[in-house]
């Protein structure tokens, strides 16, 4: 596994600069927002944090695309494709590093969300009689993990589409967009077909907090993860196919 | 292609073989064609290259030299025909046997010289750390400098170090002297002579710099418009045409 480790370390080092800058910006924004607690309405602070959360998926997809693209623009694909390693070493190391980067951002954002809910008080105060702290933290973790799983599927779709578009020498951009759409359809269709087979998977309880004019209510929603597991299986198939194309069919 | 050369090459009847193979051809092209949209890079190329040769791959720009090397390195697939390296189609296993130096700067500019070689050493069983150190000293490459900060000539030497530090049976050098100043060219050719393992290695060098490299070659393949215009042992070709490799090259590209 030394080659895979070397590739992963190389990816981490390549991503480090951008990740540090992005982490710095994110931390500064979150610290500023947290410092506004008690000054701004807590709901407004929570809204801004949600907006930052909404940015992470787009960043993740861009990072996945860019980490491959820069290998071509810098001619480093000559080096990578000359190595006697399976294609998945190259694609897998890129995905792992991108996923770890997104894990870091998700942890920062989830932490900030918890701080707002527990320290914010005011209009977002949730009585402890309705939901205990451990349950609330567990829900946050579950939502974060499910979001990361969805993000992971999106990253695989982008990676596969980029690699498959490299099989042609012209119109790669439009082809990649078309492939993203087609492979997203394949993943959702496959997820739908596999879901009944995976229905034995346990449901995940998630607590939904609803703020009304004069009271707060907490509802427990049980999420069936069979479709998500099905989508993960299909996207792993796309990951294998993309890695195969990179190793066997992509030309320089 | 000059008429005299082409008809003579066909007359010799040895088209398809570079040197004596004795049934031990290390690289074999069997009616290989490679097409790109709007261009045929190689057309029906059949050739066998035995073990232990230094082969000059000569031809004008666009004659198919880089494509020829990329097919062996497994970075291109033939449109028609088959390529074999040690009896196998190019793939993951043959990449262990092939050390390929591309024409482009493929090493990461943010790595230091030392780090880049350490990185590469993790992938090859035939990596010789002592040889890499020797080459770094020979080329006077600063170990702690970032690759991106090196001059073009230094980067060329580093790429060559990365290839020659391996004891690979097949070494492919695509324009190793391109854009490099004359003194550095001499040191690169010296390194090739020093590090070549005549019994075990086969080197294919694609180049325009015939004058500097002529002395290295055992055999030659002249490519012209995607076809083999002339091939054979250097001594045989010299005797047959009464011309130096440089003159033959000029004649072929004209």
């Amino acid at each position: 596994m030394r080659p895979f480790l070397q590739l992963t370390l190389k990816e981490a080092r390549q991503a480090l600069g951008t990740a540090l800058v992005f982490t710095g910006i994110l931390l500064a924004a979150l610290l500023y927002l947290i410092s506004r607690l008690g000054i701004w309405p807590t709901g407004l602070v929570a809204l801004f944090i949600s907006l930052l959360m909404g940015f992470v998926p787009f960043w993740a997809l861009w990072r996945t695309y860019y980490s491959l693209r820069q290998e071509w623009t810098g001619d480093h694909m000559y080096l990578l494709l000359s190595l006697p390693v399976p294609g998945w070493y190259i694609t897998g190391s890129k995905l792992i590093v991108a996923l770890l980067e997104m894990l870091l951002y998700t942890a920062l954002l989830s932490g900030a969300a918890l701080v707002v809910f527990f320290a914010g008080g005011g209009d977002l105060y949730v009585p402890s009689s309705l939901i205990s702290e451990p349950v609330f933290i567990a829900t946050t973790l579950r939502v974060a993990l499910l979001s990361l799983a969805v993000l992971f599927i999106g990253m695989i779709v982008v990676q596969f589409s980029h690699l498959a578009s490299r099989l042609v020498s012209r119109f790669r951009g439009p082809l990649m967009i078309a492939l993203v759409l087609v492979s997203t359809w394949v993943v959702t269709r496959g997820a739908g077909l596999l879901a009944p087979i995976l229905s034995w998977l346990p449901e995940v309880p998630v607590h939904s907090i609803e703020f009304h004019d004069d009271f707060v209510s907490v509802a427990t929603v049980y999420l069936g993860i069979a479709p998500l597991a099905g989508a993960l299986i299909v996207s792993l198939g796309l990951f294998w196919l993309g890695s195969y194309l990179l190793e066997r069919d992509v030309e320089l | 292609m000059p008429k005299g050369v082409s008809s003579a090459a066909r007359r010799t009847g040895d088209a398809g073989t570079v040197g004596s193979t004795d049934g031990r051809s290390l690289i074999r092209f069997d009616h290989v064609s490679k097409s790109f949209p709007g261009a045929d890079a190689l057309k029906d190329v059949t050739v066998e290259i035995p073990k232990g040769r230094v082969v000059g791959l000569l031809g004008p720009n666009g004659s198919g030299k880089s494509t020829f090397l990329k097919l062996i390195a497994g970075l291109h697939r033939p449109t028609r025909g088959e390529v074999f390296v040690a009896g196998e189609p190019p793939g993951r296993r043959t990449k262990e046997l092939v050390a390929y130096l591309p024409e482009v700067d493929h090493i990461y500019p943010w790595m230091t010289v030392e780090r880049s070689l350490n990185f590469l050493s993790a992938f090859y069983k035939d990596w010789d750390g002592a040889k890499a150190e020797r080459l770094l000293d020979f080329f006077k490459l600063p170990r702690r400098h970032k690759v991106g900060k090196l001059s073009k000539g230094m980067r060329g030497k580093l790429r060559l170090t990365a290839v020659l530090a391996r004891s690979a049976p097949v070494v492919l050098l695509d324009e190793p002297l391109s854009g490099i100043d004359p003194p550095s060219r001499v040191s690169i050719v010296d390194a090739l002579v020093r590090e070549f393992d005549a019994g075990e290695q086969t080197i294919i060098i694609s180049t325009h710099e015939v004058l500097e490299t002529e002395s290295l070659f055992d055999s030659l393949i002249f490519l012209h418009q995607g076809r083999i215009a002339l091939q054979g042992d250097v001594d045989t070709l010299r005797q047959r045409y009464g011309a130096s490799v440089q003159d033959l090259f000029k004649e072929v590209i004209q």
Side-chain angles (χ1 to χ4, degrees):
Chain A
M1 289 304 279
R2 190 176 164 223
F4 185 74
L5 182 68
Q6 281 293 325
L7 283 170
T8 309
L9 289 175
K10 189 272 292 175
E11 287 302 325
R13 173 59 187 80
Q14 246 174 324
L16 189 65
T18 322
L20 280 178
V21 170
F22 195 77
T23 305
I25 293 170
L26 194 60
L27 259 178
L30 290 174
L31 287 173
Y32 176 74
L33 288 173
I34 287 169
S35 75
R36 297 293 91 188
L37 285 171
I39 303 168
W40 294 355
T42 314
L44 188 63
V45 175
L47 177 72
F48 279 124
I49 290 176
S50 308
L51 287 176
L52 286 174
M53 280 179 180
F55 186 65
V56 169
F58 295 104
W59 183 247
L61 299 183
W62 165 254
R63 291 289 294 150
T64 308
Y65 165 74
Y66 185 72
S67 76
L68 265 175
R69 186 174 174 270
Q70 67 181 344
E71 304 290 7
W72 265 282
T73 53
D75 289 325
H76 311 306
M77 215 27 121
Y78 280 90
L79 187 150
L80 294 178
L81 290 185
S82 299
L83 300 174
V85 295
W88 72 264
Y89 275 35
I90 298 166
T91 50
S93 59
K94 286 185 177 295
L95 273 183
I96 283 177
V97 170
L99 196 66
L100 284 175
E101 196 183 330
M102 297 313 135
L103 189 67
L104 172 70
Y105 303 145
T106 309
L108 284 175
L109 287 161
S110 303
L114 288 172
V115 168
V116 169
F117 274 100
F118 288 123
D123 50 347
L124 282 190
Y125 175 69
V126 184
S128 57
S129 57
L130 282 177
I131 185 164
S132 68
E133 282 187 19
V135 172
F136 190 80
I137 291 170
T139 289
T140 308
L141 280 177
R142 282 178 199 137
V143 171
L145 277 175
L146 292 174
S147 306
L148 274 175
V150 175
L151 209 54
F152 188 54
I153 293 167
M155 288 157 77
I156 289 176
V157 164
V158 167
Q159 191 183 66
F160 165 77
S161 304
H162 184 61
L163 288 170
S165 73
R166 284 278 161 186
L167 294 178
V168 298
S169 53
R170 288 177 192 169
F171 307 114
R172 282 183 184 140
L175 178 64
M176 188 186 155
I177 293 167
L179 283 165
V180 166
L181 295 174
V182 171
S183 40
T184 303
W185 179 82
V186 168
V187 169
T188 48
R189 185 88 182 107
L193 292 172
L194 286 172
I197 304 167
L198 299 165
S199 59
W200 51 270
L201 286 168
E203 293 181 325
V204 176
V206 172
H207 304 282
S208 161
I209 302 161
E210 289 163 17
F211 296 93
H212 306 277
D213 288 342
D214 48 358
F215 69 98
V216 180
S217 65
V218 175
T220 304
V221 180
Y222 288 88
L223 294 177
I225 58 165
L228 182 62
L232 267 174
I233 291 170
V234 178
S235 57
L236 285 176
L238 282 182
F239 170 72
W240 175 84
L241 185 59
S243 306
Y244 179 87
L245 291 177
L246 178 66
E247 186 186 332
R248 302 292 298 269
D249 291 309
V250 168
E251 295 189 339
L252 296 173
Chain B
M1 177 172 38
K3 222 172 182 176
V5 169
S6 69
S7 57
R10 276 193 225 105
R11 240 189 358 256
T12 59
D14 64 354
T17 305
V18 176
S20 167
T21 64
D22 303 329
R24 297 184 298 119
S25 79
L26 188 60
I27 295 161
R28 185 156 67 87
F29 277 56
D30 189 4
H31 297 286
V32 171
S33 298
K34 178 64 187 174
S35 304
F36 299 105
D40 292 329
L42 287 179
K43 298 170 196 163
D44 197 28
V45 170
T46 295
V47 67
E48 288 188 29
I49 299 171
K51 191 174 164 183
R53 313 287 292 180
V54 180
V55 181
L57 186 62
L58 309 178
N61 288 333
S63 57
K65 301 189 299 293
S66 292
T67 305
F68 187 95
L69 296 182
K70 285 179 183 177
L71 282 163
I72 302 169
L75 304 179
H76 276 335
R77 274 90 201 157
T79 310
R80 281 181 299 280
E82 286 178 296
V83 178
F84 296 97
V85 178
E88 286 190 50
R92 198 192 311 164
R93 287 212 302 204
T94 64
K95 284 176 186 175
E96 288 183 0
L97 309 176
V98 175
Y100 170 60
L101 176 110
E103 205 178 352
V104 295
D105 277 326
H106 65 319
I107 298 178
Y108 294 96
W110 51 266
M111 286 183 176
T112 62
V113 167
E114 199 168 41
R115 172 79 188 96
S116 65
L117 296 179
N118 281 340
F119 172 73
L120 288 167
S121 71
F123 298 92
Y124 300 108
K125 289 174 195 151
D126 57 17
W127 186 270
D128 185 339
K131 204 169 167 185
E133 288 293 321
R134 204 165 59 236
L135 283 160
L136 283 177
D137 291 338
F138 178 74
F139 286 135
K140 298 184 177 64
L141 285 166
R143 287 169 170 75
R144 299 199 186 282
H145 274 50
K146 292 248 170 87
V147 174
K149 301 276 182 197
L150 298 175
S151 66
K152 189 174 181 184
M154 292 288 232
R155 289 201 301 274
K157 288 172 181 174
L158 174 63
R159 289 188 290 134
L160 197 67
T161 301
V163 167
L164 295 182
R166 292 181 56 196
S167 309
V170 180
V171 178
L172 308 174
L173 307 177
D174 196 356
E175 300 286 359
L177 305 180
S178 170
I180 289 174
D181 58 83
S184 298
R185 286 180 190 181
V186 172
S187 66
I188 286 174
V189 172
D190 284 351
L192 285 171
V193 172
R194 278 161 48 116
E195 302 300 337
F196 175 55
D197 185 346
E200 296 301 320
Q201 288 188 301
T202 296
I203 303 187
I204 306 176
I205 306 172
S206 125
T207 186
H208 287 107
E209 328 294 337
V210 182
L211 211 57
E212 277 107 337
T213 47
E214 181 173 351
S215 60
L216 292 172
F217 302 142
D218 299 318
S219 313
L220 294 170
I221 298 173
F222 285 96
L223 285 173
H224 186 70
Q225 295 179 342
R227 293 187 192 278
I228 293 181
L230 188 67
Q231 62 180 316
D233 285 344
V234 171
D235 292 340
T236 312
L237 291 173
R238 279 196 193 119
Q239 280 175 6
R240 187 178 299 155
Y241 299 106
S244 68
V245 173
Q246 172 85 353
D247 292 337
L248 282 172
F249 179 66
K250 278 183 191 161
E251 211 178 328
V252 169
I253 64 171
Q254 278 160 12

